[in-house]
Amino acid sequence: MSTATPEKKYYLLASASLIALLLLCISWEWFLAPLRPGGSWMVLKALPLLIPLRGVLKRDNYTMQWSSMLIWLYFTEGIVRAYSDRIPLSMALACGEVALSMLFFIAIILYLRPLKKAAKALVKAKAAKTAAE
């Protein structure tokens, strides 16, 4: 039986989906279905995913919060390319990008939810203590 807490499972899911999205973006534009034969400069779209990777792997809450907004760029690109690309493999990769983006977003939100609740409770307790004084 697994003894991992839900938070750890969400963290692992978020980390795995971010790494998978990074690998998908690189392989898609480099050799699977590049815009130009032999690869394209679009492979550089993977670079912004490297910025939050370290913070996500270290469970930095601030990084997780802003990376949940960054991921929407990849979701949007995936939606646009799923509907506009004419190559079936590229369309499938775009759908994979959408799925991994959503998986990352959902996992991050579920990971951060208990921490946000605890922070709000702490602020409320401090306000009540200040009011009582």
Side-chain angles (χ1 to χ4, degrees):
M1 264 199 175
S2 176
T3 59
T5 63
E7 289 82 18
K8 183 172 182 171
K9 289 178 184 178
Y10 295 138
Y11 156 74
L12 291 173
L13 185 59
S15 300
S17 60
L18 181 62
I19 292 168
L21 182 60
L22 179 65
L23 295 174
L24 175 91
C25 289
I26 292 170
S27 58
W28 179 3
E29 299 300 344
W30 197 355
F31 56 86
L32 288 177
L35 291 175
R36 292 183 171 75
S40 75
W41 284 99
M42 283 289 290
V43 74
L44 296 176
K45 74 180 184 187
L47 287 179
L49 291 174
L50 290 174
I51 298 168
L53 182 61
R54 181 178 175 184
V56 169
L57 293 176
K58 291 177 81 175
R59 297 184 188 195
D60 180 54
N61 294 337
Y62 181 72
T63 302
M64 289 184 173
Q65 288 174 0
W66 66 258
S67 66
S68 70
M69 295 296 105
L70 171 72
I71 208 69
W72 287 108
L73 295 172
Y74 293 88
F75 173 81
T76 304
E77 191 230 2
I79 292 292
V80 169
R81 294 207 44 198
Y83 283 102
S84 65
D85 281 0
R86 299 290 178 229
I87 302 168
L89 178 58
S90 188
M91 292 169 67
L93 292 169
C95 290
E97 183 177 35
V98 169
L100 288 171
S101 299
M102 288 301 300
L103 192 61
F104 177 80
F105 181 78
I106 291 167
I108 286 291
I109 295 302
L110 292 174
Y111 175 80
L112 291 173
R113 185 170 46 178
L115 300 172
K116 288 289 196 180
K117 283 183 181 178
K120 283 182 182 179
L122 183 62
V123 168
K124 200 175 201 179
K126 283 184 180 181
K129 183 180 176 184
T130 304
E133 292 177 349

